[in-house]
Amino acid sequence: MKSALRALTGGFLLLSTAAGSAAETASLRALGSAFAGVYEKVVPSVVVLEVSRLDDGGGGEAFSWQFLFRDEDAPRGPQPRESEGSGFVIREDGYILTNAHVIEGADPEKGVVARRQDGSRLPLKVVGVDDKTDLAVLKADASGLPAIEWGDSDTVRVGEFVCGIGAPFELDFTLTAGVISAKGRSNLTSTVYEDYLQTDTAINPGNSGGPLCDLDGRVIGVNTLINGLSRGLSFAIPSRLARAVSDELIANGRVVRPWLGIRIETLSDEPGLQRMFGLDRGVVVRTIEPGAPASQSKLRPADVVVAVDGETVASARELQQAILRKKVGQTVALKVWRTGAGGGGFTTVDVTTAELPQNPRLAALAAPRGRAPSGEGESDLPLGMEVEDLSEEVARALGVESGGVIVTNVEETGEAATAGVQRRDVITAIGSVTVPDKAAFDKALAEWPAGEPAVLHVERDGKKTYAILKR
């Protein structure tokens, strides 16, 4: 088999010219027969989506051969444009799954039409769109349609053969083949929830929204993303995620997700933080959004989350995925490492999730931007900043309820500026020691162990964050 199979690149089998044994030939024929079986089983469920949109000619899934020979005298500005993408039937009563970007900007009057392999055309209406996963569900007024069989993307292995079916470059119902190249790919786009399967199966414009199948003809992914043309890098949304999102879109028209309201970063991405916290793995709470569930709990900026309900989390993505598996309104136990004078320790913080809002980046509180108050209590500090007691009036203006000291001046080259402290920041605690006024602040800072970084807990524009002050 190895002598007959030289390489698998871009979905094409390159065979040696040397004559193989009968067994090798039979193996290759069996593989080809498996690919043909996938096509015959799945293609009746695949549809080509015709999308009418008013567009300026850029973006979209359309590929026009005429683009290479553009008529310079053609009219400019928004013009009617037809584009094609792919999709597949997930329920016999007419529900079809595709990518959200395939139908983005569709003309509401002309809408979207599904064209089947037998030539029949089905007008579609949009059931729901989830931009965070780039998935959309459409509905045809039909029954008895051949629905796909879902596969398990969690159990598919790197190296297994897979097939993609779609309409690349407007070449309808095309099958390509390759292997699973990797799993769990993320940080590829601005999409929030990424967990892509990577494949070298040839995926091109027009394939988006089509199925990625195993050799049993079960759908294990939704073809979504390419990294340029002819580079052998394609990505698919795993079936586990696609199935859950499509079920919720059908049931509710939208996806309801749990939310803690924190901004996080992977500890291992910041070697300096690893040394400071004395931990190798975990997720640092960078900011807590005002009014978010976390703001109603005892969670604090600079806490390092290492487990969720006993499940270890070592990266921001793992923490995000762990929370997404919870329900809205569910209380989760976060195991965190919290720094303090002379070291730190583990503690457990309970946070009750809420529904993720449409705009999770809540607007900062509108506080006056005039000169910060000053008074007789102001004093020069060797740390490059000046603080004073926080008056009730200023606290109300800044939306601060917990008390603290306000930073009235920051020297450009001082330790405070290096730590990211800003004028008008309200410092509420140093490590685990609360500082309700300047006297408490000065005392806590004086008693902090020499040479040990101090974690300043800060409220800034209604958000809770932190700064690490190196002394």
Side-chain angles (χ1 to χ4, degrees), residues 381 383 385 430 440-449 454 456 469 471:
L381 294 176
L383 299 175
M385 66 177 175
I430 301 178
F441 174 86
D442 291 343
K443 183 175 184 294
L445 205 57
E447 293 178 351
W448 197 265
L456 306 182
L469 194 63
R471 307 182 62 203

Side-chain angles (χ1 to χ4, degrees), residues 399-420:
V400 177
E401 298 179 355
S402 55
V405 295
I406 186 168
V407 179
T408 57
N409 188 33
V410 178
E411 296 176 358
E412 292 184 1
T413 58
E415 294 93 331
T418 302

Side-chain angles (χ1 to χ4, degrees), residues 69 148 166 221 229 326 417 452 470:
F69 311 96
I148 57 93
L229 299 179
K326 307 302 179 181
E452 183 177 320
K470 297 181 180 180

Side-chain angles (χ1 to χ4, degrees), residues 28-371:
L28 291 175
R29 284 177 175 167
L31 180 60
S33 179
F35 290 152
V38 171
Y39 186 82
E40 291 165 358
K41 176 180 179 180
V42 179
V43 77
S45 303
V46 177
V47 297
V48 176
L49 297 178
E50 301 174 353
V51 184
S52 299
R53 50 166 63 89
L54 280 175
D55 196 279
D56 60 4
E61 282 291 307
F63 176 85
S64 172
W65 299 107
Q66 296 174 347
F67 177 78
L68 302 176
F69 311 96
R70 175 174 288 169
D71 182 358
E72 295 300 326
D73 294 327
R76 304 298 181 182
Q79 300 293 321
R81 183 168 67 89
E82 299 291 331
S83 66
E84 287 189 356
S86 305
F88 53 94
V89 179
I90 55 175
R91 295 194 184 183
E92 294 181 354
D93 53 350
Y95 287 98
I96 292 171
L97 183 63
T98 187
N99 284 138
H101 74 261
V102 169
I103 64 168
E104 183 179 10
D107 187 330
E109 294 184 0
K110 296 183 179 180
V112 181
V113 174
R115 187 171 71 251
R116 301 177 62 202
Q117 189 192 30
D118 62 8
S120 61
R121 294 162 58 85
L122 302 172
L124 304 176
K125 65 177 182 179
V126 178
V127 174
V129 175
D130 183 47
D131 291 328
K132 291 180 172 60
T133 55
D134 192 23
L135 290 169
V137 172
L138 309 171
K139 178 70 166 64
D141 186 10
S143 61
L145 297 181
I148 57 93
E149 178 185 354
W150 285 111
D152 188 352
S153 56
D154 286 344
T155 60
V156 68
R157 297 179 300 169
V158 173
E160 288 191 25
F161 281 114
V162 288
C163 299
I165 302 178
F169 299 119
E170 299 183 357
L171 301 173
D172 300 347
F173 306 104
T174 297
L175 178 139
T176 54
V179 299
I180 293 293
S181 307
K183 297 176 66 176
R185 293 301 195 198
S186 59
N187 300 320
L188 301 178
T189 71
S190 59
T191 303
V192 178
Y193 304 106
E194 293 185 344
D195 185 21
Y196 292 116
L197 299 174
Q198 181 181 327
T199 177
D200 65 355
T201 304
I203 303 299
N204 289 294
N207 273 117
S208 283
L212 186 70
C213 310
D214 63 17
L215 289 187
D216 292 316
R218 298 172 301 195
V219 174
I220 51 95
V222 181
N223 296 318
T224 298
L225 187 67
I226 57 176
N227 185 2
L229 299 179
S230 303
R231 294 184 182 179
L233 289 175
S234 307
F235 302 90
I237 299 168
S239 60
R240 169 186 47 77
L241 178 59
R243 189 174 187 178
V245 169
S246 61
D247 284 348
E248 194 155 356
L249 288 176
I250 291 171
N252 304 313
R254 64 189 182 95
V255 179
V256 177
R257 292 186 172 89
W259 181 60
L260 298 184
I262 57 178
R263 298 190 189 181
I264 54 181
E265 61 183 327
T266 302
L267 182 63
S268 59
D269 292 342
E270 298 288 344
L273 292 180
Q274 284 182 306
R275 290 191 295 271
M276 186 195 128
F277 292 121
L279 298 174
D280 294 327
R281 307 174 73 187
V283 183
V284 184
V285 178
R286 170 61 69 178
T287 304
I288 297 177
E289 297 285 359
S295 70
Q296 311 301 318
S297 73
K298 295 182 179 179
L299 192 68
R300 301 171 64 175
D303 282 349
V304 182
V305 181
V306 298
V308 179
D309 287 338
E311 175 187 353
T312 301
V313 291
S315 68
R317 178 176 167 274
E318 288 181 3
L319 175 57
Q320 182 184 69
Q321 293 296 323
I323 296 302
L324 285 175
R325 288 192 288 272
K326 307 302 179 181
K327 297 180 179 179
V328 174
Q330 181 177 347
T331 298
V332 296
L334 305 180
K335 182 180 179 181
V336 305
W337 173 270
R338 179 168 293 169
T339 58
F346 287 108
T347 186
T348 299
V349 178
D350 290 337
V351 184
T352 301
T353 67
E355 181 180 344
L356 176 69
Q358 290 296 316
N359 182 12
R361 293 192 174 187
L362 301 177
L365 297 178
R369 292 290 177 178
R371 182 178 184 275

